[in-house]
Amino acid sequence: MILTSDPDVALEATGLVVPGVGAFAACMSGLNQVKAAEVIHARYSQSRPTIGICIGMQVLFADSDENGSHVGIKIWSTSVTKLHAPVLPHMGWNTVEPDINSSLFDGIEGESFYFVHSYAARDLPGAVNTYATHGDKFLAATEDGALCATQFHPEKSGKAGLALIKNWSRGL
């Protein structure tokens, strides 16, 4: 594993993880400084394995209304909006409803994953989508060819999260 901000290294990596912690605008600012949008678009068009985690998923969408209106990487044309839930942030363990065609959730259907967020996308037409509910139904994960993303943190989700990462790494 290599931690890099070098666009050429990221572009040529066998697999790329787009991590995310914090707010949408701050994450986009950091990604823009290292030309990450260009790298992610190139990897997507070349069907190179890439996974976004938490804010790393959200930035792949067109925009977010978190603390104002902010432009995303625009891989996907839909928006990220605030959850309608009695308690925010959505923090803790939650089950997910994987699509029957999901390869990320192969063998881990019915498991719980660890979430920390107040904003989410609701749908991604044409992709293999997994949903969860906190107040309203939202996109918990998606698989769009070689580009995958999770709203939850697999690295904090115990054995189920490790199994998901192993499932993703099979495509490397």
Side-chain angles (χ1 to χ4, degrees), residues 60-77:
L60 299 172
F61 288 88
D63 53 46
S64 172
D65 67 1
E66 181 181 358
N67 300 317
S69 180
H70 304 284
V71 175
I73 293 174
K74 298 182 183 179
I75 295 287
W76 301 314
S77 62

Side-chain angles (χ1 to χ4, degrees), residues 49-128:
T50 304
I51 188 169
I53 296 173
C54 196
I55 298 291
M57 173 183 182
Q58 293 180 10
V59 297
L60 299 172
F61 288 88
D63 53 46
S64 172
D65 67 1
E66 181 181 358
N67 300 317
S69 180
H70 304 284
V71 175
I73 293 174
K74 298 182 183 179
I75 295 287
W76 301 314
S77 62
T78 54
S79 298
V80 173
T81 58
K82 192 170 190 173
L83 290 172
H84 299 98
V87 176
L88 291 175
H90 172 214
M91 186 180 308
W93 296 87
N94 199 348
T95 56
V96 300
E97 305 165 25
D99 184 288
I100 193 165
N101 297 312
S102 173
S103 59
L104 281 180
F105 293 90
D106 185 32
I108 50 174
E109 300 85 354
E111 295 290 336
S112 293
F113 297 87
Y114 190 79
F115 291 84
V116 180
H117 66 116
S118 296
Y119 295 80
R122 300 307 189 277
D123 200 20
L124 183 59
V128 175

Side-chain angles (χ1 to χ4, degrees), residues 1-45:
M1 180 189 300
I2 298 170
L3 178 62
T4 186
S5 60
D6 182 320
D8 294 328
V9 173
L11 181 62
E12 296 304 321
T14 303
L16 180 67
V17 177
V18 182
V21 175
F24 189 98
C27 187
M28 279 304 302
S29 176
L31 291 171
N32 287 336
Q33 289 176 17
V34 296
K35 300 180 179 166
E38 295 169 22
V39 170
I40 293 166
H41 274 279
R43 290 183 67 86
Y44 182 65
S45 68

